Amino acid sequence: MPEQTTRVKVTKLGNLNLVQFADRKILDELAIQEIQDELLKLVGERDDGSRLLLSFSNVDHLSSAALGMLITLNKKVKEKKGALKLSDIKPQIYEVFKITRLNKMFEIYDTLDQARASL
Amino acid sequence: MSSASLFDPAEPMKEIVVRNNLAAAKLPEESILAEALAAGFNEEDVFAIKLALEEAMTNAVRHGNRNDPSKQVVVRYAINARKVTILVRDEGGGFKPEHVPDCTAPENIERPCGRGIMLMRAYMTEVSYNADGNEVLMIKVNER
């Protein structure tokens, strides 16, 4: 059964966690803080919590604060020697990653299946 | 402002003053985006304006006014069929954009370092700061 929290839906897929976002627009600072808290908790509390696959298929827009949240999450995942993959990023969001050159920092895949295959 | 600026100081501007918190900072957005749509800007442009305005408001509340609830943010704007002009002023001491670390440099990538300003510059036609560094001017030209 998927685990439903307020801002993200976490589904176990074998030994990794698929994360889907409830908000189509991840712009609001308070929402971003809540998402960050939920994901950091997941990474910190579970043995396999640092193997994350973030699907952006529901997400239309990101702000710089959301990018900051992803950077913090990536750092935490690395500390735990886990893996963080991003997939299904719409062109207008990929543009945000490109402008800030974060497309080079994150592992980004076109589809969920491609991201899963890489783990 | 440089001589190449698209800013027209003679253009009449509307003004919205909001309290210094992130919820209040969203208030000017609705009117500005609705007026931009009505003036003939397409949805892609309107989204670009939304994103830039949110980044500017967040910067004003958090970095300019340092989350001080006694302070306020002043938004002035003018919208016509050709361009949207927005000025966002805070009551902080200002900053020098050239002193903001380059957030694409590997050593800065995990720091809060002007990623919002970078997005504002990418999405708007013109972004500049006043000499005191506490007011940002953003202009979006309707290219159609």
Side-chain angles (χ1 to χ4, degrees):
Chain A
M1 282 290 287
E3 186 180 320
Q4 182 72 56
T5 54
T6 47
R7 297 286 180 185
V8 295
K9 187 172 92 173
V10 181
T11 312
K12 287 284 288 176
L13 284 179
N15 64 348
L16 61 95
N17 295 284
L18 168 65
V19 176
Q20 290 164 298
F21 298 95
D23 303 273
R24 297 199 78 81
K25 297 179 182 181
I26 308 179
L27 300 169
D28 180 80
E29 291 260 335
L30 297 173
I32 290 163
Q33 188 60 52
E34 286 174 18
I35 292 169
Q36 178 166 312
D37 290 348
E38 287 181 36
L39 293 179
L40 290 181
K41 195 172 161 212
L42 179 65
V43 173
E45 284 184 356
R46 290 200 202 159
D47 286 344
D48 61 359
S50 59
R51 291 171 63 79
L52 298 178
L53 202 165
L54 270 51
S55 167
F56 287 82
S57 60
N58 292 333
V59 182
D60 291 335
H61 302 302
L62 288 183
S63 67
S64 68
L67 295 174
M69 176 266 289
L70 292 174
I71 291 165
T72 303
L73 180 66
N74 195 42
K75 190 179 170 189
K76 189 86 176 172
V77 164
K78 275 189 181 161
E79 281 169 14
K80 299 268 285 183
K81 303 202 187 314
L84 177 65
K85 317 271 178 176
L86 278 46
S87 80
D88 297 284
I89 296 181
K90 291 179 182 166
Q92 71 267 28
I93 299 191
Y94 191 72
E95 195 60 28
V96 170
F97 281 88
K98 253 173 54 185
I99 291 164
T100 54
R101 297 194 206 162
L102 291 174
N103 56 328
K104 303 210 183 298
M105 176 180 179
F106 291 107
E107 284 186 51
I108 300 176
Y109 295 87
D110 288 346
T111 66
L112 207 60
D113 286 343
Q114 286 173 11
R116 282 186 76 180
S118 73
L119 274 160
Chain B
M1 311 296 169
S2 73
S3 56
S5 175
L6 298 164
F7 182 57
D8 175 8
E11 190 174 17
M13 302 194 95
K14 294 183 184 174
E15 183 175 291
I16 301 176
V17 181
V18 296
R19 295 172 70 92
N20 193 57
N21 64 68
L22 291 171
K26 284 186 170 301
L27 297 175
E29 189 179 297
E30 198 177 334
S31 320
I32 292 173
L33 300 185
E35 288 187 39
L37 262 181
F41 282 77
N42 66 21
E43 292 209 357
E44 195 181 329
D45 283 345
V46 171
F47 174 68
I49 296 164
K50 175 187 167 75
L51 199 140
L53 181 58
E54 293 209 1
E55 300 286 355
M57 294 302 285
T58 302
N59 283 348
V61 170
R62 295 184 67 181
H63 302 303
N65 287 340
R66 296 180 184 275
N67 293 313
D68 181 345
S70 70
K71 290 194 158 70
Q72 55 191 25
V73 180
V74 179
V75 179
R76 288 184 293 144
Y77 68 96
I79 296 170
N80 58 49
R82 202 177 73 81
K83 64 181 164 75
V84 169
T85 304
I86 306 172
L87 286 153
V88 176
R89 177 191 285 264
D90 60 58
E91 296 184 83
F95 79 112
K96 298 273 179 229
E98 61 272 24
H99 292 169
V100 175
D102 174 10
C103 60
T104 62
E107 65 273 20
N108 292 331
I109 206 122
E110 288 174 358
R111 295 171 59 188
C113 52
R115 209 165 273 119
I117 298 172
M118 214 171 168
L119 292 178
M120 285 154 59
R121 290 194 195 283
Y123 282 108
M124 300 298 277
T125 312
E126 178 181 332
V127 174
S128 61
Y129 290 84
N130 66 350
D132 290 339
N134 70 336
E135 183 175 65
V136 61
L137 163 70
M138 302 186 291
I139 294 176
K140 183 76 174 173
V141 171
N142 193 346
E143 306 286 358
R144 290 184 304 151

